Amino acid sequence: MSFELIEKHGEHEEILFCYNKDVGLKAIIAIHNTTLGPALGGTRMWEYENEEDALVDVLRLSKGMTYKAAAAGLNLGGGKAVIIGNPKKHKSEALFRAFGAYVNSLKGLYITAEDVGTTVQDMEYVFMETPFVTGIPKAFGGSGDPSPYTAHGVLMGIKAAVKRKLNADSLEGVRVAVQGLGNVGSNLVDYLVAEKAIVTVGDIDKDRVSKLVDKYGLTAVDPNGIVTSECDVFAPCAMGAVINDQTLPNLRCQIVAGGANNQLAEARHGRALKESGVLYAPDYVINAGGLMNVFVELEGYSSERAIDKTTQVYDNMMQVFQIAEDNDVTTEDAANRLAESRIKHLGALRQHHQGRMARPFSTLREMTNRQK
Ligand code: NAD
């Protein structure tokens, strides 16, 4: 049964089922593809309805990480882990250390990080058992909170989309509606205000709205109405599936470009955006700044280099737009093509000579020297 499921959800290289009765660990690590480098992706802790749901989730998410890293131009592969359990009830030091030992057994083929349901503290326990973990506290050489870097990448993606669609080199006077003022959205607003964009904001959390309205004198929009408010750029930075059958006919923007994951409810909504002339910045390309930040952590972390790295989102996005135009496909399809072509061509190169392609694995040796 499980093998059928695994085959149905992409050509994964390796799946590791982790079980430790004493500490209550039930986890799955999925390594989708390591052509470009070690498989990096966070560990999600979730109370899945059943084990099949957990397996499907980890298969889907690990494949997504392969595409994200490849389109971001990083020498990383795609992987992900899920721990089955309630993050509010079932966490313990022993559980994360037992999980860390499993990560370690993969000898660097998989590198983990935080995700939904796991925290920096949990990763600290994982780090006690393995060096193959990112998102650890700054005191241990980690990169800390990725959100400011994700937000900076999103800013770069918005700039690229504005250049492409409005032929403008600056965001001055460009109307941007930001939905969601959490970690990513609030940092994005700071950047947009500094660029002199005309920013409107919406969040179901009134305190978050009033904080930014008071700080910058911005206009607040009803959280239900911000998706369809009149603007140049709609920047989703809250939940997924925000572009759906209900919102799509009522959009009054020219560009959709924001940090949220899985913005399109279904692939057909991407086609509908294309047909209606709205330029969509594919989510996994525009929100790759956080991944770029942890990649810098693998090389020896510096905040300046991480910010510098995230400026690459501009060029990545421009490439995606060009592929979409040249092939008359959606920008989402174009992003997939960009990722697949990088894996194909660099994978072939790797077979012939190691060169700098060997870098991620040499980096892993450096990681093993990291101080505990
Ligand atoms: P967060 O939880 O800090 O913030 C989300 C905000 O959205 C909250 O303020 C919440 O009140 C608001 N919100 C929820 N539902 C809403 C609605 N219906 N209308 C308006 N506002 C609503 O999360 P975050 O870390 O800022 O992440 C935001 C999005 O970006 C998520 O989709 C996340 O998966 C994605 N993302 C985040 C990162 C990162 O570095 N944090 C990286 C990549 C992708």
Side-chain angles (χ1 to χ4, degrees):
M1 176 61 178
S2 295
F3 291 114
E4 270 172 39
L5 262 183
I6 291 166
E7 277 161 13
K8 195 173 142 200
H9 286 272
E11 296 171 344
H12 290 73
E13 289 177 10
E14 195 167 332
I15 316 290
L16 180 66
F17 289 84
C18 317
Y19 179 72
N20 184 320
K21 190 164 167 274
D22 295 340
V23 301
L25 175 71
K26 282 184 186 171
I28 312 170
I29 300 173
I31 296 175
H32 178 255
N33 190 295
T34 56
T35 304
L36 297 177
L40 193 145
T43 297
R44 180 164 293 193
M45 185 163 183
W46 195 254
E47 200 161 33
Y48 291 96
E49 293 252 316
N50 53 56
E51 286 160 20
E52 189 175 307
D53 284 1
L55 179 60
V56 170
D57 207 26
V58 79
L59 293 172
R60 194 177 54 81
L61 292 166
S62 56
K63 184 175 176 185
M65 290 307 295
T66 296
Y67 278 75
K68 186 168 185 167
L74 299 173
N75 285 334
L76 287 175
K80 202 90 182 180
V82 295
I83 296 178
I84 302 170
N86 185 327
K88 292 208 171 86
K89 291 189 205 152
H90 301 138
K91 281 189 181 183
S92 68
E93 176 182 351
L95 182 134
F96 281 100
R97 291 187 70 163
F99 175 69
Y102 273 107
V103 172
N104 201 49
S105 73
L106 291 165
K107 297 188 168 66
L109 210 55
Y110 169 66
I111 303 172
T112 196
E114 289 137 49
D115 195 68
V116 176
T118 56
T119 63
V120 173
Q121 169 71 73
D122 303 330
M123 291 308 124
E124 223 181 302
Y125 292 138
V126 173
F127 185 50
M128 289 175 187
E129 302 299 329
T130 181
F132 303 117
V133 51
T134 60
I136 52 172
K138 285 193 169 165
F140 296 108
S143 57
D145 176 15
S147 312
Y149 306 92
T150 303
H152 192 254
V154 173
L155 176 77
M156 293 298 135
I158 291 176
K159 283 187 168 190
V162 164
K163 174 70 184 167
R164 184 84 193 183
K165 182 77 185 170
L166 310 175
N167 197 24
D169 290 311
S170 147
L171 294 184
E172 188 168 352
V174 173
R175 296 166 305 162
V176 186
V178 181
Q179 180 194 43
L181 305 171
N183 295 317
V184 176
S186 60
N187 280 294
L188 177 63
V189 168
D190 292 341
Y191 282 126
L192 291 169
V193 169
E195 296 276 339
K196 300 193 173 70
I198 301 168
V199 183
T200 49
V201 291
D203 195 301
I204 46 173
D205 183 331
K206 289 195 175 72
D207 290 344
R208 289 188 168 167
V209 174
S210 52
K211 206 170 140 198
L212 284 169
V213 166
D214 294 349
K215 188 172 173 189
Y216 294 123
L218 304 176
T219 305
V221 180
D222 175 70
N224 296 320
I226 191 149
V227 188
T228 51
S229 62
E230 194 178 343
C231 59
D232 299 308
V233 182
F234 168 56
C237 295
M239 67 298 178
V242 66
I243 307 296
N244 54 44
D245 287 340
Q246 282 71 46
T247 57
L248 223 151
N250 302 312
L251 290 180
R252 287 190 290 157
C253 59
Q254 304 196 60
I255 293 165
V256 174
N261 276 319
N262 307 320
Q263 291 169 29
L264 305 176
E266 292 172 40
R268 66 185 169 88
H269 296 117
R271 293 192 285 278
L273 282 177
K274 178 175 181 284
E275 276 156 26
S276 59
V278 175
L279 183 63
Y280 170 59
D283 43 20
Y284 76 81
V285 181
I286 195 170
N287 71 20
L291 183 62
M292 291 171 170
N293 183 53
V294 289
F295 180 76
V296 171
E297 186 176 327
L298 298 181
E299 293 182 325
Y301 191 66
S302 133
S303 171
E304 293 73 33
R305 274 199 317 108
I307 282 289
D308 198 43
K309 186 101 192 146
T310 58
T311 57
Q312 205 184 320
V313 173
Y314 184 96
D315 290 338
N316 295 346
M317 200 55 77
M318 282 301 198
Q319 238 182 311
V320 166
F321 294 148
Q322 197 58 50
I323 294 170
E325 187 183 307
D326 292 348
N327 298 281
D328 193 24
V329 294
T330 65
T331 50
E332 178 119 312
D333 285 342
N336 293 342
R337 287 183 186 205
L338 173 66
E340 283 161 9
S341 122
R342 192 160 172 263
I343 293 168
K344 186 174 160 206
H345 291 112
L346 296 186
L349 188 68
R350 191 172 206 167
Q351 281 180 349
H352 293 297
H353 70 100
Q354 285 285 299
R356 285 180 63 83
M357 285 297 295
R359 189 175 175 79
F361 295 101
S362 64
T363 311
L364 290 173
R365 274 199 297 280
E366 286 159 28
M367 284 184 70
T368 31
N369 294 331
R370 211 159 52 174
Q371 290 300 304
K372 289 205 176 181

